[in-house]
Amino acid sequence: MGSINPSLLHIGSTVGAVFMALMVIFIRLKASARPVTIRKIWIPPLGMSTGFAMFVVPEVRFPWWWAVLAFLIGWFVFAYPLIRTTTFEQRDGEIYAQRSKSFAFILLGLLLVRTLLHEIINRYISVPQSGGLFFILAFGMILHWRFFMYKRYNVLVPPQTQLPEPRA
């Protein structure tokens, strides 16, 4: 991994994760004041997908089955609390995400679990590999949560505001 000290890389990644979690909490709390749109639902996973470019670097790579397992754990386990605390409401003809009092605590709990798992996994694989694994786990979590939000949004959106089906 070049000349970067693995201990500093580990500390940096943990501090970065805490900072990102606090940013997500702050952004999600502010987002409840603005209407939800399809674009706002899909931008985060699309933006996050650029992170797959990290796998160009050989030090980050690992077996495919590790990636599949991390994605499935994110999809089924870590997304569940986010899905359970995400609800929408209609106000003034628009759809808003309701603030959940437990959302911030759930994000902090997920961060704590992630950090503990990271500590355990770092004993067996390199810091870049564990970073890649946890990126895939987070991507699975966000993708499932956003699919849920999209489905729930489409149930609530009035039919006249939905886009017409393309003609064949």
Side-chain angles (χ1 to χ4, degrees), residues 4-19 114 127:
I4 298 175
N5 182 340
S7 296
L8 291 177
L9 189 61
H10 179 69
I11 292 168
S13 68
T14 302
V15 169
V18 169
F19 176 74
R114 178 212 168 276
V127 172

Side-chain angles (χ1 to χ4, degrees), residues 7 10-11 13-15 111-125 127 130 134:
S7 296
H10 179 69
I11 292 168
S13 68
T14 302
V15 169
L111 176 65
L112 178 65
V113 169
R114 178 212 168 276
T115 304
L116 292 173
L117 283 172
H118 209 278
E119 290 297 321
I120 294 167
I121 290 173
N122 273 341
R123 295 178 186 164
Y124 304 103
I125 62 175
V127 172
S130 67
F134 280 95

Side-chain angles (χ1 to χ4, degrees), residues 61-77:
R61 296 181 193 151
F62 41 77
W64 280 101
W65 69 270
W66 292 11
V68 170
L69 186 62
F71 183 85
L72 292 174
I73 290 170
W75 184 276
F76 289 110
V77 177

Side-chain angles (χ1 to χ4, degrees), residues 129-143:
Q129 286 177 320
S130 67
L133 277 175
F134 280 95
F135 168 80
I136 291 174
L137 183 139
F139 187 76
M141 174 184 71
I142 299 273
L143 194 62

Side-chain angles (χ1 to χ4, degrees), residues 5 7 32 40 47 56 60 76 83 87 91 125 147-148 165:
N5 182 340
S7 296
S32 64
K40 288 179 184 176
V56 169
V60 181
F76 289 110
I83 289 170
T87 54
R91 283 186 268 147
I125 62 175
F147 267 120
F148 166 82
E165 293 293 323

